[in-house]
Amino acid sequence: MEDQKSSYKVPVTLSSASVYPLSVHDAFAMAKDVGYDGIEVLVTGNAASQSAGALKELMDKYQLPIMAIHAPTLLLTQQVWGSAWAKVERSVILAQAVGASVVVAHPPFRWQGSYAEGFGEGVQRLIDTTGMKIAVENMYPWRARGREAKMYLPHWNPVPEPYQHVTWDFSHAAIANMDSRQAIEDLGDRLSHVHLCDGLDNGKDEHLVPGLGTQRVAESLQYLRDVAWQGTMAVEVSTRKAKNAGQKEEWLGKTLEFAREHLSTSVEHDPMKQ
């Protein structure tokens, strides 16, 4: 048991969303400089993010694997890859081509018709037919004039839904005022992927460096360490407000250090210390 625990290691990758609006090429370069274990590619309008050939060239150049593909199911990527199902299906094909094990997808918006109504069943069919882990990400309620507007179907919270695979994002959890530590435990083996960041319950999706928000991020990572979680993790910290490339790398370096500190089996776990 001790030998198994001492060899436990969660790969910590860098999401290309962390360097947005810079390119996926910039994400590879920064990940290599800082010391990440790999990349999560957010598919955007950037041509390289959509091309298996271009991504393979970057993998070879920087000697970093792509471990996850984030489907272009965001509002800002509505024009990428056509219909809603095409976005997910093409993301699976891209993931298979580059050797990624996970596709991240947001739950559908309620106005997306039959796609939204059949989302859960459709995702499961794709999982069954392709073997790809399609991990549905937790979102958050949208509030207008103090009232919640129902934006997602079946819901922004994937915990009670029957999804086989889930991605957990700490910034989204902060907006929803959820306890990530408890949600992660409740998800159990369904938790396949984590977006590492932090956030505040202020209605802003800030994707802060861990420790700068209100989420129990350190405790959550320690829990994953203690149960020898077998998923993948991607740092998704916003660096848009960084003054220069050096500060971007500093923030991403701090987050990587945070992840490895709290996931390491050599750390003495103090439940009273966040």
Side-chain angles (χ1 to χ4, degrees), residues 47-64:
S49 74
Q50 304 176 26
S51 166
L55 292 176
K56 286 179 180 178
E57 288 181 7
L58 290 170
M59 290 166 65
D60 289 342
K61 178 177 180 178
Y62 291 100
Q63 290 298 292
L64 287 173

Side-chain angles (χ1 to χ4, degrees), residues 21-33:
L22 300 180
S23 70
V24 67
H25 192 162
D26 294 301
F28 269 92
M30 287 194 184
K32 188 69 174 181
D33 286 347

Side-chain angles (χ1 to χ4, degrees), residues 64 73 82 98 105 115 122 127 143 186 201 229 235 245 273:
L64 287 173
T73 50
V98 300
Y115 169 72
I127 292 171
R143 299 184 180 97
D186 291 344
D201 180 18
W229 178 64
V235 167
K273 184 177 180 181

Side-chain angles (χ1 to χ4, degrees), residues 1-8 228 230:
M1 182 67 179
E2 284 302 315
D3 289 342
Q4 180 182 4
K5 189 174 181 181
S6 63
S7 62
Y8 173 68
Q230 297 299 305

